[in-house]
Amino acid sequence: MTRKVTKAVFPVAGLGTRFLPATKSIPKEIMTLVDRPLIQYAIDEARAAGITEFIFVTSRGKSALEDYFDSAPELEAALQAKGKDDLFADLTATNMESGAIAYIRQNKPQGLGHAVWCARRLVGNEPFAVILTDDVIAADTPCLKQMVDAYQDTGGVMVAAMEVPPSETSAYGVLDVGGEDGALLSVRGMVEKPAPGTAPSNLAVIGRYILTPQIMDNLGKTERGAGGEIQLTDAIALEIAEGRPVHGLCFDGERFDCGSKAGFLQATVAFGLARPELHDDLRNYLHDVVAQQKAAQ
Ligand code: G1P
């Protein structure tokens, strides 16, 4: 089978309840880090890894996402008329070529595995990537690109992996590792959200996957697992049970959990500091805040 990965699935059907009331009227994927919505970071990472077809698994209330990737003729004309070339370039860089993006509905929230399975006909018979937009990763070489490169040697399924404190393993899919070769882990088991104290390791799956089309068949027969949902982790574990290779890649980069308020705020600070035009003001502000907090103690 080809090892060229050109399709990515973005499961964006979640309700975003952790960010209510904001997510009452905006999809959480449109929430912004500095001036770019979370989804834009995911799309940019996918493009950098060679992805050319983008499959969004959406739900009711997500139409703002479709508009975001469409052209905005009035805005474009207004910016051009005013000679605002930089803003015009920023804006048009978000437009998606016609036919590059497909939207498919998950009509019942039945879990990540079910969301991915909803894309089975669009994915067809080739390997594909899955990106969870809550996990934002700052890296010199984008995380998915690191994975696609490693996948050229391994084939099979590949997941992004990261060490987390033992107290946090119950929030993740966790790897049982059989062997290591540098950053590459060979995986002999996977558990979704293990009960505290029962995790096979402290290596958690982070929201980047390269999957083989076989996963869609596995998902079709996967029973409800953790949280009463159809879990992608369980369908990957079935690959291992059937003797097919699954690898983890301990990627280079810093991951932010933008599915939590604390993680989102940390990402905002980190991405703000990474912008040359914001760096000094923000740094000085943070410095003053910390000094005031210390003085008040
Ligand atoms: C999902 C996956 C989990 C993975 C996590 C990474 O969980 O089910 O295996 O470790 O993403 O962020 P969620 O965070 O959607 O509960």
Side-chain angles (χ1 to χ4, degrees):
M1 172 170 307
T2 173
R3 292 195 179 166
K4 204 163 158 40
V5 186
T6 59
K7 294 182 179 175
V9 174
F10 301 82
V12 291
L15 294 174
T17 46
R18 279 193 273 181
F19 286 95
L20 280 170
T23 46
K24 187 178 168 195
S25 67
I26 45 162
K28 72 172 171 177
E29 298 77 16
I30 293 285
M31 289 177 44
T32 47
L33 284 180
V34 189
D35 51 11
R36 300 155 70 74
L38 288 183
I39 193 70
Q40 187 69 54
Y41 290 89
I43 294 285
D44 290 349
E45 184 177 329
R47 276 191 169 136
I51 301 295
T52 51
E53 289 183 58
F54 305 81
I55 303 165
F56 283 36
V57 182
T58 70
S59 59
R60 279 185 300 280
K62 299 279 180 164
S63 43
L65 271 171
E66 297 193 28
D67 290 339
Y68 175 78
F69 288 112
D70 211 338
S71 57
E74 286 111 23
L75 253 179
E76 288 170 20
L79 292 175
Q80 268 186 315
K82 288 187 179 151
K84 300 203 166 174
D85 298 338
D86 289 355
L87 283 176
F88 178 78
D90 283 347
L91 184 68
T92 49
T94 63
N95 298 352
M96 284 288 206
E97 195 195 328
S98 294
I101 192 160
Y103 301 91
I104 193 154
R105 287 269 174 123
Q106 181 188 28
N107 50 19
K108 279 192 205 135
Q110 297 188 72
L112 175 60
H114 180 261
V116 171
W117 181 75
C118 289
R120 64 199 178 284
R121 293 200 178 84
L122 293 172
V123 161
N125 193 31
E126 20 180 314
F128 63 103
V130 172
I131 295 190
L132 307 187
T133 52
D134 277 354
D135 285 325
V136 176
I137 301 172
D140 290 342
T141 303
C143 180
L144 189 65
K145 166 82 172 125
Q146 296 176 38
M147 292 171 70
V148 164
D149 288 348
Y151 169 77
Q152 301 314 306
D153 294 329
T154 62
V157 165
M158 180 167 295
V159 299
M162 185 182 100
E163 279 190 32
V164 297
S167 60
E168 293 176 15
T169 48
S170 58
Y172 294 94
V174 180
L175 301 178
D176 183 3
V177 174
E180 292 178 25
D181 177 8
L184 203 59
L185 312 171
S186 98
V187 179
R188 64 175 177 207
M190 260 174 97
V191 196
E192 181 66 15
K193 307 208 167 71
T198 68
S201 74
N202 64 343
L203 284 159
V205 175
I206 299 305
R208 304 287 183 277
Y209 305 79
I210 297 176
L211 300 172
T212 51
Q214 174 67 38
I215 280 291
M216 295 300 194
D217 293 342
N218 297 2
L219 283 168
K221 51 189 181 206
T222 297
E223 305 280 332
R224 287 169 189 273
E229 298 187 331
I230 302 198
Q231 296 293 350
L232 186 55
T233 298
D234 296 342
I236 299 174
L238 191 57
E239 285 294 283
I240 304 171
E242 293 185 348
R244 287 184 287 273
V246 174
H247 290 90
L249 184 74
C250 295
F251 56 93
D252 260 339
E254 188 177 4
R255 173 259 186 175
F256 297 92
D257 175 12
C258 290
S260 79
K261 288 174 203 171
F264 200 98
L265 289 170
Q266 287 159 17
T268 301
V269 171
F271 281 82
L273 286 172
R275 289 287 186 88
E277 75 278 20
L278 299 175
H279 176 272
D280 289 357
D281 276 356
L282 184 54
R283 191 182 157 283
N284 292 341
Y285 172 71
L286 291 171
H287 181 272
D288 290 351
V289 170
V290 171
Q292 279 166 21
Q293 299 268 327
K294 276 197 181 146
Q297 272 169 10

PDB file of all heavy atoms in Angstrom, residues 112 132 135 171-173 192-193 205-207 209 231 233 255, ligand 1:
ATOM      1  N   LEU A 112     -14.881   9.729  19.583  1.00  0.00           N
ATOM      2  CA  LEU A 112     -13.871  10.018  18.566  1.00  0.00           C
ATOM      3  C   LEU A 112     -13.821   8.922  17.502  1.00  0.00           C
ATOM      4  O   LEU A 112     -13.717   9.207  16.303  1.00  0.00           O
ATOM      5  CB  LEU A 112     -12.507  10.172  19.254  1.00  0.00           C
ATOM      6  CG  LEU A 112     -11.299  10.352  18.353  1.00  0.00           C
ATOM      7  CD1 LEU A 112     -11.446  11.598  17.482  1.00  0.00           C
ATOM      8  CD2 LEU A 112     -10.021  10.437  19.184  1.00  0.00           C
ATOM      9  N   LEU A 132      -6.471  16.259  16.054  1.00  0.00           N
ATOM     10  CA  LEU A 132      -7.412  16.803  17.030  1.00  0.00           C
ATOM     11  C   LEU A 132      -7.009  18.251  17.308  1.00  0.00           C
ATOM     12  O   LEU A 132      -5.893  18.510  17.769  1.00  0.00           O
ATOM     13  CB  LEU A 132      -7.383  15.975  18.321  1.00  0.00           C
ATOM     14  CG  LEU A 132      -7.590  14.464  18.159  1.00  0.00           C
ATOM     15  CD1 LEU A 132      -7.720  13.783  19.534  1.00  0.00           C
ATOM     16  CD2 LEU A 132      -8.813  14.151  17.306  1.00  0.00           C
ATOM     17  N   ASP A 135      -5.358  19.815  20.567  1.00  0.00           N
ATOM     18  CA  ASP A 135      -3.929  19.659  20.846  1.00  0.00           C
ATOM     19  C   ASP A 135      -3.162  20.544  19.878  1.00  0.00           C
ATOM     20  O   ASP A 135      -3.056  20.237  18.681  1.00  0.00           O
ATOM     21  CB  ASP A 135      -3.501  18.195  20.667  1.00  0.00           C
ATOM     22  CG  ASP A 135      -3.968  17.311  21.817  1.00  0.00           C
ATOM     23  OD1 ASP A 135      -4.004  17.797  22.965  1.00  0.00           O
ATOM     24  OD2 ASP A 135      -4.295  16.143  21.569  1.00  0.00           O
ATOM     25  N   ALA A 171      -6.582  10.705  31.772  1.00  0.00           N
ATOM     26  CA  ALA A 171      -7.253  11.610  30.828  1.00  0.00           C
ATOM     27  C   ALA A 171      -6.915  11.289  29.372  1.00  0.00           C
ATOM     28  O   ALA A 171      -7.378  11.978  28.461  1.00  0.00           O
ATOM     29  CB  ALA A 171      -6.849  13.054  31.139  1.00  0.00           C
ATOM     30  N   TYR A 172      -6.104  10.242  29.155  1.00  0.00           N
ATOM     31  CA  TYR A 172      -5.564   9.998  27.810  1.00  0.00           C
ATOM     32  C   TYR A 172      -5.715   8.542  27.375  1.00  0.00           C
ATOM     33  O   TYR A 172      -6.002   7.668  28.181  1.00  0.00           O
ATOM     34  CB  TYR A 172      -4.056  10.306  27.811  1.00  0.00           C
ATOM     35  CG  TYR A 172      -3.713  11.742  28.044  1.00  0.00           C
ATOM     36  CD1 TYR A 172      -3.434  12.212  29.322  1.00  0.00           C
ATOM     37  CD2 TYR A 172      -3.674  12.641  26.988  1.00  0.00           C
ATOM     38  CE1 TYR A 172      -3.114  13.548  29.547  1.00  0.00           C
ATOM     39  CE2 TYR A 172      -3.353  13.972  27.199  1.00  0.00           C
ATOM     40  CZ  TYR A 172      -3.075  14.417  28.475  1.00  0.00           C
ATOM     41  OH  TYR A 172      -2.762  15.728  28.679  1.00  0.00           O
ATOM     42  N   GLY A 173      -5.414   8.316  26.087  1.00  0.00           N
ATOM     43  CA  GLY A 173      -5.093   6.971  25.636  1.00  0.00           C
ATOM     44  C   GLY A 173      -3.644   6.742  26.046  1.00  0.00           C
ATOM     45  O   GLY A 173      -2.800   7.627  25.872  1.00  0.00           O
ATOM     46  N   GLU A 192      -7.595   3.191  26.656  1.00  0.00           N
ATOM     47  CA  GLU A 192      -8.210   4.519  26.692  1.00  0.00           C
ATOM     48  C   GLU A 192      -8.614   4.870  28.124  1.00  0.00           C
ATOM     49  O   GLU A 192      -9.326   4.126  28.779  1.00  0.00           O
ATOM     50  CB  GLU A 192      -9.447   4.560  25.777  1.00  0.00           C
ATOM     51  CG  GLU A 192     -10.163   5.896  25.722  1.00  0.00           C
ATOM     52  CD  GLU A 192      -9.344   7.020  25.072  1.00  0.00           C
ATOM     53  OE1 GLU A 192      -8.332   6.749  24.407  1.00  0.00           O
ATOM     54  OE2 GLU A 192      -9.743   8.193  25.250  1.00  0.00           O
ATOM     55  N   LYS A 193      -8.112   5.999  28.591  1.00  0.00           N
ATOM     56  CA  LYS A 193      -8.444   6.541  29.915  1.00  0.00           C
ATOM     57  C   LYS A 193      -8.417   5.483  31.021  1.00  0.00           C
ATOM     58  O   LYS A 193      -9.451   5.159  31.625  1.00  0.00           O
ATOM     59  CB  LYS A 193      -9.787   7.263  29.850  1.00  0.00           C
ATOM     60  CG  LYS A 193      -9.795   8.302  28.725  1.00  0.00           C
ATOM     61  CD  LYS A 193     -10.712   9.458  28.957  1.00  0.00           C
ATOM     62  CE  LYS A 193     -10.449  10.587  28.001  1.00  0.00           C
ATOM     63  NZ  LYS A 193     -10.817  10.431  26.621  1.00  0.00           N
ATOM     64  N   VAL A 205      -1.120   9.252  24.389  1.00  0.00           N
ATOM     65  CA  VAL A 205      -1.350   9.574  22.976  1.00  0.00           C
ATOM     66  C   VAL A 205      -1.806  11.027  22.897  1.00  0.00           C
ATOM     67  O   VAL A 205      -2.703  11.454  23.630  1.00  0.00           O
ATOM     68  CB  VAL A 205      -2.454   8.662  22.391  1.00  0.00           C
ATOM     69  CG1 VAL A 205      -2.793   9.075  20.963  1.00  0.00           C
ATOM     70  CG2 VAL A 205      -2.026   7.207  22.447  1.00  0.00           C
ATOM     71  N   ILE A 206      -1.164  11.785  22.022  1.00  0.00           N
ATOM     72  CA  ILE A 206      -1.557  13.170  21.767  1.00  0.00           C
ATOM     73  C   ILE A 206      -2.266  13.177  20.411  1.00  0.00           C
ATOM     74  O   ILE A 206      -2.045  12.295  19.586  1.00  0.00           O
ATOM     75  CB  ILE A 206      -0.294  14.071  21.798  1.00  0.00           C
ATOM     76  CG1 ILE A 206       0.362  14.001  23.182  1.00  0.00           C
ATOM     77  CG2 ILE A 206      -0.604  15.515  21.432  1.00  0.00           C
ATOM     78  CD1 ILE A 206      -0.543  14.349  24.346  1.00  0.00           C
ATOM     79  N   GLY A 207      -3.120  14.173  20.180  1.00  0.00           N
ATOM     80  CA  GLY A 207      -4.065  14.102  19.068  1.00  0.00           C
ATOM     81  C   GLY A 207      -3.531  14.203  17.647  1.00  0.00           C
ATOM     82  O   GLY A 207      -3.964  15.037  16.850  1.00  0.00           O
ATOM     83  N   TYR A 209      -2.575  11.290  14.512  1.00  0.00           N
ATOM     84  CA  TYR A 209      -2.557   9.871  14.168  1.00  0.00           C
ATOM     85  C   TYR A 209      -2.293   9.730  12.676  1.00  0.00           C
ATOM     86  O   TYR A 209      -2.773  10.548  11.883  1.00  0.00           O
ATOM     87  CB  TYR A 209      -3.930   9.238  14.420  1.00  0.00           C
ATOM     88  CG  TYR A 209      -4.492   9.403  15.824  1.00  0.00           C
ATOM     89  CD1 TYR A 209      -5.099  10.596  16.231  1.00  0.00           C
ATOM     90  CD2 TYR A 209      -4.455   8.346  16.738  1.00  0.00           C
ATOM     91  CE1 TYR A 209      -5.628  10.731  17.502  1.00  0.00           C
ATOM     92  CE2 TYR A 209      -4.995   8.479  18.015  1.00  0.00           C
ATOM     93  CZ  TYR A 209      -5.576   9.676  18.395  1.00  0.00           C
ATOM     94  OH  TYR A 209      -6.115   9.821  19.658  1.00  0.00           O
ATOM     95  N   GLN A 231     -14.315   4.250  20.814  1.00  0.00           N
ATOM     96  CA  GLN A 231     -12.995   4.846  21.005  1.00  0.00           C
ATOM     97  C   GLN A 231     -12.039   4.457  19.877  1.00  0.00           C
ATOM     98  O   GLN A 231     -11.906   3.283  19.531  1.00  0.00           O
ATOM     99  CB  GLN A 231     -12.406   4.389  22.354  1.00  0.00           C
ATOM    100  CG  GLN A 231     -13.191   4.868  23.566  1.00  0.00           C
ATOM    101  CD  GLN A 231     -13.133   6.384  23.755  1.00  0.00           C
ATOM    102  OE1 GLN A 231     -12.352   7.088  23.092  1.00  0.00           O
ATOM    103  NE2 GLN A 231     -13.970   6.902  24.650  1.00  0.00           N
ATOM    104  N   THR A 233      -8.880   4.582  20.193  1.00  0.00           N
ATOM    105  CA  THR A 233      -7.845   3.782  20.868  1.00  0.00           C
ATOM    106  C   THR A 233      -8.160   2.289  20.771  1.00  0.00           C
ATOM    107  O   THR A 233      -7.269   1.470  20.510  1.00  0.00           O
ATOM    108  CB  THR A 233      -7.761   4.203  22.352  1.00  0.00           C
ATOM    109  OG1 THR A 233      -7.376   5.573  22.391  1.00  0.00           O
ATOM    110  CG2 THR A 233      -6.753   3.377  23.130  1.00  0.00           C
ATOM    111  N   ARG A 255       3.497  20.780  23.451  1.00  0.00           N
ATOM    112  CA  ARG A 255       2.066  20.581  23.222  1.00  0.00           C
ATOM    113  C   ARG A 255       1.250  21.370  24.256  1.00  0.00           C
ATOM    114  O   ARG A 255       1.578  21.397  25.432  1.00  0.00           O
ATOM    115  CB  ARG A 255       1.759  19.098  23.316  1.00  0.00           C
ATOM    116  CG  ARG A 255       0.293  18.744  23.261  1.00  0.00           C
ATOM    117  CD  ARG A 255      -0.238  18.454  24.646  1.00  0.00           C
ATOM    118  NE  ARG A 255      -1.604  17.971  24.586  1.00  0.00           N
ATOM    119  CZ  ARG A 255      -2.261  17.549  25.652  1.00  0.00           C
ATOM    120  NH1 ARG A 255      -1.682  17.526  26.822  1.00  0.00           N
ATOM    121  NH2 ARG A 255      -3.498  17.156  25.534  1.00  0.00           N
TER     122      ARG A 255
HETATM  123  C1  G1P B   1      -8.748  11.914  22.881  1.00  0.00           C
HETATM  124  C2  G1P B   1      -8.366  10.441  22.720  1.00  0.00           C
HETATM  125  C3  G1P B   1      -7.241  10.070  23.683  1.00  0.00           C
HETATM  126  C4  G1P B   1      -6.059  10.995  23.494  1.00  0.00           C
HETATM  127  C5  G1P B   1      -6.504  12.472  23.630  1.00  0.00           C
HETATM  128  C6  G1P B   1      -5.365  13.408  23.260  1.00  0.00           C
HETATM  129  O1  G1P B   1      -9.331  12.075  24.158  1.00  0.00           O
HETATM  130  O2  G1P B   1      -9.510   9.631  22.946  1.00  0.00           O
HETATM  131  O3  G1P B   1      -6.847   8.732  23.465  1.00  0.00           O
HETATM  132  O4  G1P B   1      -5.052  10.699  24.441  1.00  0.00           O
HETATM  133  O5  G1P B   1      -7.615  12.762  22.752  1.00  0.00           O
HETATM  134  O6  G1P B   1      -5.708  14.736  23.477  1.00  0.00           O
HETATM  135  P1  G1P B   1     -10.194  13.386  24.565  1.00  0.00           P
HETATM  136  O7  G1P B   1      -9.198  14.419  24.970  1.00  0.00           O
HETATM  137  O8  G1P B   1     -10.978  13.767  23.365  1.00  0.00           O
HETATM  138  O9  G1P B   1     -11.046  12.941  25.720  1.00  0.00           O
END
